[in-house]
Amino acid sequence: MLHKGITLRGIEVFEALARTGSVAQAAHATGLSQPAVSQQMRNLEAAIGAELVDHTRRPMRLTQAGQMFLRRAGLALTELRQAQSEVTVMDLAHLEALNLGVIDDFDDDLTPRLATILGDSLTGCRFRMITAGSNELADALRDKSLHMALFAQIEGKLDAVVEYPLARDPFIIVTPEQTPHAPAALLSGDSDLPFLRYAKDQLIARQIDAHLAAQSHDLPARFEIGSHLALMAMVARGIGWAITTPLGYMRAARFHNKLAAHPLPAPVPSRTISLFAGDEWSGPVPRDIAQTLRQLMQTHMIAPAIAQLPWLADGFHLLEDYNRIGD
């Protein structure tokens, strides 16, 4: 049995505090008051018999015991959230048709789960799902061949479209496991390990290049790879290093034993992953789908990534449930 004082709410509060480093933000994330968050943490630490968070630092940081507990507790929460997401049934039976696009970043895990959940809810509905890059999905949303699409925010505005932001996905550095080079040396070009770029026609490539240019990093364009997994395979083989995001890194799980992930030096750029819907779809349907996507992303992507790389907690997280319409 669990020790008295170890509760699911306490573990959720601890995870939120580990992710945000702030009692105020943890309170907002969990729907509790700040005193309640502090009390939950006191109860949990007393029950475990160890200090999990260094309360003297701002933002707060996990102690060694806290990092160990987060790895195990995070896995337990992941399993519980997975169970919750898999039994989610949305009220979509009234729909006659739904055309949905999903960014290809999610092909390995989230997309199959989302398809299964929607398939259970869309009784009698003609359902079409495609996967593609962000720019292609945005074009399909513009020409009305898609009703909704899940992708990274693009350059420019989408007219008559409602956006439901889901998650912040910061950029990170990925190197071969045993590389002796620090991130600063790689970015300055002071190493013999070449930079592996995404293909120039990809949105993520332009976002990375814009950040490098803004920071005056001039890296030779020797390699340009259009496949994310091919890019990660080359890094794992020791051919070079790359800049990607936690979502991209988690897709390459088969290579993790030969990869090392590092934070980018500040300022750290990020991309926003959102669900976009034509404004004629405003209402409960896109909101329900967005909420299901948040649960899936937290369970299958964000929580496992932070359990593996605790330093991601500051930047890799779900976003507030608000929406806006393009001008």
Side-chain angles (χ1 to χ4, degrees), residues 171-173 182-185 187 211 215 217 243 262-269:
F171 286 93
I172 63 175
I173 289 176
L187 289 166
H211 171 72
Q215 300 303 309
H217 297 310
I243 296 176
H262 313 271
L264 264 172
V268 180

Side-chain angles (χ1 to χ4, degrees), residues 8 75-85 299:
L8 179 58
L75 290 174
L77 284 177
T78 294
E79 291 296 321
L80 289 170
R81 288 173 177 145
Q82 179 174 343
Q84 175 178 291
S85 66
T299 300

Side-chain angles (χ1 to χ4, degrees), residues 114-134:
L114 178 63
T116 300
I117 291 171
L118 290 176
D120 287 339
S121 304
L122 291 166
T123 56
C125 171
R126 184 181 63 80
F127 177 45
R128 173 173 168 256
M129 175 184 279
I130 67 168
T131 61
S134 293

